[in-house]
Amino acid sequence: GSLERRRCLYLRTGRACCQMVEVLFAALILVCSSVSCGSAGGYTGLPALGGIYYYQYGGAYSGFSGADGEQAQQLDQRFYLLKLPIARAAMVVGGCLLVFPCVLILVGVLQVPWHFPAWLLIECTLYIVIAVGTVPALYYFLHSLLNVYNSSVCKEREQLYQSKGYQGFWCSLHGAEIAAGLLGCMAAMAYLLSAGLAVRDYRTVHEQKQKPLQL
């Protein structure tokens, strides 16, 4: 009835639209973090193929056999283990950022802010805290990745692949990691915008509560 229509109208408000954008940003951050994590990597010797080594995401690679193949596999695994904690932390943060706006959308649809206007001030505070906390989180993410890429394991791995003529194994941030950082910055701006919208909506609800007969 009319109650259901009023609930659906929330999804057309500016605050709800901003929250849906935050869901999109969080989902993209989660995807980019999982790409950064990658796989365990490593070369797997296949005797049936005459000692050719196959890379998990690169197809057939020739040029690695014997000691070189074992070294490549060990370096890949060590490099993966260095990046794993950072990628997992980023995925956890991305997952939390994905759940948070979804919960707020549900709260808005259920019209909790109308019945409990102070919730909007709580929401505003949470948004500001998350937006401010995003800055050191991004610094930690990028700084930790740069430390991994500057490690001796990455440098040795890069030199080994370059010695065989393979490209794409450079010790630098790749596209998904840079995208995760940019998405984090855009998400922080969206959180600040949502905080401002929450304050505006609090004033609107407060004014309407003072004029119940005009509703």
Side-chain angles (χ1 to χ4, degrees):
S2 60
L3 178 61
E4 294 298 327
R5 288 195 295 271
R6 288 198 299 271
R7 288 177 175 177
C8 292
L9 285 176
Y10 173 74
L11 298 178
R12 300 171 58 183
T13 63
R15 201 164 92 254
C17 292
C18 198
Q19 289 167 350
M20 287 186 278
V21 171
E22 293 163 12
V23 170
L24 176 61
F25 284 156
L28 292 175
I29 291 173
L30 189 59
V31 171
C32 291
S33 301
S34 64
V35 171
S36 176
C37 181
S39 68
Y43 280 78
T44 302
L46 299 177
L49 297 178
I52 296 176
Y53 286 84
Y54 270 67
Y55 192 66
Q56 186 165 353
Y57 288 114
Y61 275 60
S62 60
F64 283 94
S65 61
D68 287 341
E70 293 178 359
Q71 184 181 11
Q73 184 179 27
Q74 292 175 0
L75 289 173
D76 278 345
Q77 292 174 349
R78 290 170 61 188
F79 180 68
Y80 166 77
L81 292 176
L82 287 175
K83 291 184 66 177
L84 182 60
I86 306 168
R88 281 183 174 175
M91 292 172 66
V92 170
V93 172
C96 293
L97 294 180
L98 180 62
V99 172
F100 178 66
C102 291
V103 172
L104 294 184
I105 291 174
L106 178 61
V107 168
V109 170
L110 295 177
Q111 297 184 329
V112 173
W114 172 256
H115 300 289
F116 183 56
W119 167 259
L120 290 170
L121 298 180
I122 298 174
E123 184 177 316
C124 174
T125 303
L126 291 175
Y127 270 125
I128 293 175
V129 170
I130 294 174
V132 173
T134 300
V135 177
L138 287 174
Y139 172 80
Y140 170 78
F141 174 70
L142 297 175
H143 180 71
S144 300
L145 283 175
L146 289 175
N147 286 338
V148 172
Y149 288 127
N150 289 328
S151 65
S152 58
V153 173
C154 184
K155 298 297 183 182
E156 186 177 355
R157 178 175 178 266
E158 180 184 35
Q159 292 175 1
L160 178 61
Y161 281 111
Q162 286 183 348
S163 68
K164 300 298 180 179
Y166 298 139
Q167 305 297 322
F169 299 93
W170 299 291
C171 293
S172 60
L173 297 173
H174 59 68
E177 294 161 350
I178 296 173
L182 293 176
L183 288 168
C185 293
M186 290 188 290
M189 291 187 288
Y191 298 145
L192 292 176
L193 177 59
S194 291
L197 292 175
V199 173
R200 184 203 65 180
D201 289 352
Y202 172 78
R203 292 175 179 173
T204 301
V205 171
H206 184 71
E207 291 175 359
Q208 291 179 349
K209 286 283 189 178
Q210 301 300 320
K211 303 176 182 179
L213 296 179
Q214 296 182 10
L215 294 178

